[in-house]
Amino acid sequence: MLLSCQNVRKTFGTNLVLDDLSLEVDEHEVVALIGASGSGKSTLLRCVNLLTGIDDGVIRLDGEDITDPRADPDLVRRRIGMVFQSYNLFPHMTVLRNVTLAPDKVHKRAAAESRDQAMEWLSRVGLADKADSYPDRLSGGQQQRVAIVRALVNNPRLLLLDEVTSALDPELVGEVLTMIRGLKDDGTTMVLATHEMGFARQVADRVVFLDGGRIIEAGPPSQVLGDPVEPRTRQFLARIIEAGRL
Amino acid sequence: MSTPYQPRPYEPSDIQRERIAYRRRQTIRSVLLSALSTLVVGIALAYAVTGSPGWERVKSSFFDPEIARKYLPDILQGLWLNIRLLVVCTLAALLLGLLIAVLRTLRGAVFFPVRALATGYTYAFRGLPLIIVLYVFTFGVPGLRLQGMPSVLVLGGAALVIVYGAYLAEVFRAGIESVHPSQLAAARSLGLTYRQTMRHVVLPQAVRRVTPPLLNDVVALQKDVGLVSLAGPIDAVRAAQIATAQDANFTPYIVAGVLFVLLALPLIGITDWVTLRAARRQSAGS
């Protein structure tokens, strides 16, 4: 088992965001977190990446307790890649520099090596010609693909994707989803929070429905999305269908 | 991917041609109008000043070319002191300000004293009048009679650096805080340490954003470096003051003033250019 969250509790003030939540992710598995805004999807991802601390419970990565206060968060984050809803590319750096920064500074790879690797990835996703451009010259879809490449060049054990298509224009969503589908074929272990139910159905091995910081229902996509057992899951999916998103 | 697109040859329509012609006429009209109004205001001002009853006296005591030529070397020598002091103090104050700003961002119990000291420093020295700090440094500190006491000039420079460092620290801090937290999250999620995040992600963006206000403070410092003359060293204004006392003629002040403006022009030009570039970049990108 690659990732294991046990009885995780997280509060922001009096607001209980994750309530005794337990989730396990195997190597090469793709887990899609679905649920309304505020259900705790993004918070769970941020907790796994130690961008925010938890108030109770244990999170293990490859069996190691990463929520132990004695663990070095910087060392943990090196093993986890994260992609954000709003891309968060560094605007003062070229695309290539965005991608090579961590290999150079964190993993101390040779400059030529990290450059070659970055270019290989950029070519693979059709962005080699943008290597010397600054992020503001790129479309949202291109920026998000660069952000994914930026996370991948560090060979993370686990990739966290936080609503990576939510900020994109509809016609740009496809190119990012295609890229993620390719990552699944490579065997990348992913946990993704998403509003794209159709995509969750295609790419996820398991869909997890969160509500109020708890897992309400989890299982294969065909079951959770097609034949949900829990009334709250049904309610949520009904609203999604009403909005024309499924 | 897309099929080659052949633009059709473009000819402006009649209505567009008429608009262009109209705009051209408007432009010519406004240029002529502004030239005319400038001329009228200029003549009126010149008439009011030179036609005034006391103009002859003022002209001889403020704009005497003889006196200007006589004291120019002294004033230039003073100005050279201003320039040297300005360059050294600017660099030192920028470094100090950046250091203090970064120290103020440190989190964690270990850094409490550093943070408290840095915060106290910016509060105290932004409130203290520069002249008081100058007097304390140039007259008070030598009074300690310590071994190896630096010259009054160095002490005066130190006072300037400490006061301006406090202002610049606040400018840098504003810049650091203007960098969106999502940038920090992105950097940390890549495994960069806090230091590396500051060095490679936060500070480059922060400094770029606050360059215009920083340069503005440098222009202000340019005028304030002359205050070290209160402690003895002769700068351009002090040289002009001495010259004025010798011939009972105020022309040296005018000379010094013109030199200061000339000195400030390139810096002000750079400030405007940087501000403009930043504004243009912001409106271009999202």
Side-chain angles (χ1 to χ4, degrees):
Chain A
M1 187 194 319
L2 199 146
L3 176 74
S4 132
C5 307
Q6 286 162 12
N7 312 102
V8 172
R9 178 189 168 85
K10 173 71 185 173
T11 56
F12 288 120
T14 56
N15 192 7
L16 183 60
V17 191
L18 296 179
D19 183 7
D20 201 30
L21 186 145
S22 296
L23 176 72
E24 296 185 342
V25 180
D26 283 324
E27 191 153 13
H28 307 308
E29 194 184 12
V30 178
V31 173
L33 306 174
I34 63 167
S37 300
S39 59
K41 308 184 296 285
S42 294
T43 305
L44 179 59
L45 297 183
R46 294 178 74 87
C47 287
V48 170
N49 205 11
L50 305 183
L51 287 173
T52 180
I54 58 174
D55 296 312
D56 204 345
V58 179
I59 301 176
R60 291 176 202 280
L61 183 69
D62 285 321
E64 178 202 339
D65 178 3
I66 59 171
T67 42
D68 187 315
R70 280 154 293 201
D72 182 349
D74 291 327
L75 291 179
V76 173
R77 292 194 197 101
R78 286 183 193 187
R79 292 186 277 153
I80 304 178
M82 180 144 181
V83 183
F84 301 85
Q85 180 176 348
S86 49
Y87 338 129
N88 300 3
L89 292 181
F90 305 129
H92 59 297
M93 296 179 187
T94 61
V95 164
L96 184 62
R97 190 65 189 136
N98 262 280
V99 176
T100 57
L101 181 69
D104 283 354
K105 304 295 173 192
V106 179
H107 301 275
K108 314 279 183 202
R109 290 194 199 134
E113 187 195 338
S114 61
R115 203 197 115 87
D116 290 348
Q117 199 197 8
M119 286 310 295
E120 202 182 303
W121 266 105
L122 289 173
S123 319
R124 197 179 141 181
V125 299
L127 291 170
D129 58 325
K130 303 287 182 193
D132 296 321
S133 306
Y134 283 86
D136 64 353
R137 294 279 153 212
L138 270 57
S139 75
Q142 292 171 331
Q143 289 191 51
Q144 193 59 293
R145 284 184 284 154
V146 172
I148 297 173
V149 166
R150 180 173 70 174
L152 286 172
V153 288
N154 304 304
N155 302 322
R157 293 280 291 147
L158 171 67
L159 187 63
L160 306 172
L161 302 160
D162 187 7
E163 296 186 20
V164 293
T165 58
S166 298
L168 295 176
D169 290 338
E171 80 270 22
L172 302 178
V173 170
E175 61 191 60
V176 174
L177 296 187
T178 305
M179 183 177 172
I180 296 171
R181 222 173 277 132
L183 298 181
K184 179 190 162 60
D185 295 341
D186 294 350
T188 312
T189 312
M190 290 185 271
V191 179
L192 45 103
T194 186
H195 288 302
E196 304 280 342
M197 299 304 150
F199 178 66
R201 191 197 287 264
Q202 285 175 35
V203 80
D205 298 308
R206 196 145 49 99
V207 172
V208 175
F209 172 61
L210 292 181
D211 191 39
R214 288 171 157 272
I215 294 180
I216 304 298
E217 189 162 358
S222 55
Q223 185 258 307
V224 178
L225 297 172
D227 185 21
V229 181
E230 297 294 328
R232 264 191 283 179
T233 318
R234 285 184 191 170
Q235 235 173 43
F236 173 72
L237 291 173
R239 278 203 304 271
I240 298 275
I241 291 166
E242 210 176 303
R245 301 287 295 257
L246 186 65
Chain B
M1 302 277 165
S2 57
T3 49
Y5 170 70
Q6 292 290 331
R8 271 178 299 166
Y10 169 70
E11 276 292 319
S13 64
D14 288 343
I15 193 159
Q16 182 61 18
R17 235 175 274 146
E18 198 271 331
R19 282 180 195 145
I20 292 168
Y22 172 75
R23 282 194 201 116
R24 195 174 298 139
R25 283 198 303 276
Q26 288 297 104
T27 309
I28 293 168
R29 224 189 94 174
S30 69
V31 167
L32 286 177
L33 215 65
S34 69
L36 186 72
S37 70
T38 310
L39 199 68
V40 169
V41 171
I43 288 172
L45 267 176
Y47 183 78
V49 172
T50 57
S52 60
W55 169 241
E56 281 308 318
R57 279 295 303 277
V58 169
K59 195 170 116 181
S60 62
S61 57
F62 280 86
F63 301 98
D64 188 329
E66 270 312 300
I67 303 269
R69 214 166 295 138
K70 182 172 162 196
Y71 290 108
L72 186 63
D74 289 348
I75 297 170
L76 278 177
Q77 204 178 1
L79 194 71
W80 177 231
L81 179 82
N82 288 75
I83 293 171
R84 282 177 300 165
L85 210 53
L86 174 69
V87 170
V88 175
C89 290
T90 301
L91 293 178
L94 283 171
L95 282 177
L96 180 66
L98 187 60
L99 179 73
I100 296 291
V102 171
L103 290 181
R104 282 191 72 176
T105 68
L106 292 180
R107 294 286 161 258
V110 195
F111 298 114
F112 175 77
V114 184
R115 205 161 56 226
L117 216 63
T119 308
Y121 159 75
T122 55
Y123 274 62
F125 283 95
R126 277 186 303 154
L128 266 175
L130 173 58
I131 293 185
I132 293 176
V133 181
L134 258 172
Y135 279 143
V136 169
F137 268 70
T138 52
F139 297 148
V141 174
L144 297 173
R145 300 186 189 202
L146 292 170
Q147 285 284 310
M149 182 58 64
S151 72
V152 166
L153 189 61
V154 173
L155 289 169
L160 285 163
V161 167
I162 282 178
V163 169
Y164 270 81
Y167 287 114
L168 296 179
E170 287 302 286
V171 177
F172 278 122
R173 192 166 71 102
I176 289 171
E177 282 173 3
S178 78
V179 176
H180 198 271
S182 65
Q183 288 283 309
L184 267 94
R188 298 308 296 274
S189 78
L190 288 170
L192 268 74
T193 62
Y194 183 80
R195 254 181 98 118
Q196 290 173 324
T197 301
M198 268 288 160
R199 159 85 182 75
H200 298 290
V201 175
V202 177
L203 288 180
Q205 296 187 58
V207 169
R208 240 164 267 209
R209 263 178 231 182
V210 297
T211 304
L214 283 177
L215 285 172
N216 210 28
D217 276 347
V218 173
V219 174
L221 175 61
Q222 182 165 340
K223 288 176 288 184
D224 278 353
V225 288
L227 289 175
V228 292
S229 63
L230 289 172
I234 296 169
D235 84 311
V237 177
R238 180 84 180 115
Q241 190 185 16
I242 295 167
T244 298
Q246 273 169 9
D247 278 351
N249 188 298
F250 291 103
T251 307
Y253 276 131
I254 300 294
V255 173
V258 169
L259 289 175
F260 266 96
V261 172
L262 290 179
L263 189 62
L265 278 182
L267 209 52
I268 292 171
I270 292 172
T271 311
D272 285 352
W273 178 72
V274 169
T275 312
L276 200 72
R277 207 182 53 150
R280 210 177 285 150
R281 182 177 296 177
Q282 234 157 34
S283 62
S286 58

